[in-house]
Amino acid sequence: MKSRLYKYIAAIIFCTTFFAQRSDAQFKEGAFTQNYNEPGDTLAKGDSVTKVFSFKEYFGGLSHKNTIKIGTMFAGSVVLPGTAQIYNKDYWKLPIIYGGIGTFAGTGGYYLHRYNVSQKAYDRFITQKTAFEAANGYPYPFDAPLIDYKAKTTGTWLLVGAGLVYWGSLLDGVACYESSRKPDPGRAALYSALLPGLGQIYNGELFKVPIYWGCLACSTHFLITNNTNYVRFKRIHNEATDPDPNISGNVPITGETAKWYRDVYRRYRDYSIVATVAFYLLQVIDANVFAYMHDFEVDDDITIDFEPALIAPNSVYALNVPASGAQNAVGLRLGINF
């Protein structure tokens, strides 16, 4: 195998060095003037780079004058919830989306406001109590007001509910998008972005779901554990280096030891963050790529062939050499059959 590889390399060097009369003949004009956009794509600029987002395309799709890509629809829905339902003509879902988000968010804000009021009242009581006892020398005769922690919990969960309604509107818009391609790569990627593993389920690759979920669960577990230990040793380091001997004297380890553990767990926490993000992005990319490759069939009949070739130039080359003055070039042609 190595001997054949050496022969190929030697043949390439030999042909390009001694037989190529004009190396510019190997650059066909088609490679530099080819337009890779769709013939009917009016949103592209005449080269291989198309616009990522077009407001004209987006608002034209909302008015049902043209179709829009699923990525454009999703980006608009992220900024303005419900626009995907307008494009999909599911108008009856709009009151549910805005009513749900508004109700959960408004009620949650009310309960959090109640918690903040009770917290401020308690802080004022502590300030008054401290000043009174310092001035009079006996205990403050009033009881402390209660902090409404139940309102805080209720308000937090209601805001989570508003977030779930928002998330559900995005997922519904992606699921109801009409596409002629099965599976649709954009839909698969957005499924995995909204819910890890859902794109793999959409592609019919169920065996990948426990793999990605396991990787994300492990990296998240180490992230939480390392962050907890980092906060713990950060607190211990602060106490060990406190100038008050009543505080620093009760710490069982030295400040240097606490600092070493703090830095170690902070570094491990950062590694865990990188791993979690990497696994998340990997499963999104995996869903998109394998949706693209769904119809790509590869059998055992694959051959690769090298052979000498005489490359004749067209009318114009990459170096703008006229066809009348151009000469042929001898090169090596690579053929792949599958």
Side-chain angles (χ1 to χ4, degrees), residues 4 44 46 142 158 161 168 193 229 234 275 283 322-323 326:
R4 294 181 61 186
F142 301 101
L158 287 171
N229 288 322
K234 180 181 179 181
Q283 58 93 28

Side-chain angles (χ1 to χ4, degrees), residues 161-335:
L164 289 176
V165 175
Y166 172 77
W167 172 82
S169 69
L170 298 178
L171 186 61
D172 172 79
V174 174
C176 296
Y177 178 83
E178 294 184 1
S179 175
S180 59
R181 187 167 183 176
K182 303 294 182 180
D184 186 279
R187 176 175 292 165
L190 292 175
Y191 272 157
S192 288
L194 292 170
L195 182 62
L198 187 58
Q200 283 70 29
I201 296 175
Y202 172 70
N203 290 337
E205 299 173 324
L206 299 178
F207 70 95
K208 294 182 179 179
V209 176
I211 298 175
Y212 285 120
W213 281 1
C215 292
L216 288 172
C218 290
S219 59
T220 304
H221 166 73
F222 287 115
L223 170 60
I224 296 173
T225 302
N226 292 321
N227 184 67
T228 301
N229 288 322
Y230 162 70
V231 173
R232 174 192 174 195
F233 281 100
K234 180 181 179 181
R235 175 183 55 81
I236 294 175
H237 174 263
N238 293 337
E239 293 176 354
T241 56
D242 195 285
D244 188 352
N246 294 326
I247 298 177
S248 59
N250 296 324
V251 179
I253 60 177
T254 63
E256 288 297 323
T257 303
K259 180 178 181 297
W260 185 85
Y261 280 110
R262 182 199 65 183
D263 295 342
V264 167
Y265 282 114
R266 179 174 56 187
R267 183 166 62 252
Y268 288 165
R269 181 203 61 181
D270 295 342
Y271 290 159
S272 300
I273 293 174
V274 172
T276 303
V277 174
F279 286 131
Y280 173 80
L281 294 178
L282 180 62
Q283 58 93 28
V284 173
I285 296 172
D286 172 89
N288 181 265
V289 170
F290 279 88
Y292 268 115
M293 302 294 292
H294 184 267
D295 296 330
F296 186 77
E297 296 182 0
V298 178
D299 55 20
D300 295 334
D301 188 16
I302 301 178
T303 58
I304 184 170
D305 182 38
F306 289 99
E307 60 182 12
L310 183 65
I311 305 174
N314 287 341
S315 58
V316 181
Y317 309 110
L319 301 179
N320 295 323
V321 179
S324 58
Q327 301 179 13
N328 295 336
V330 177
L332 196 66
R333 179 167 58 191
L334 170 66

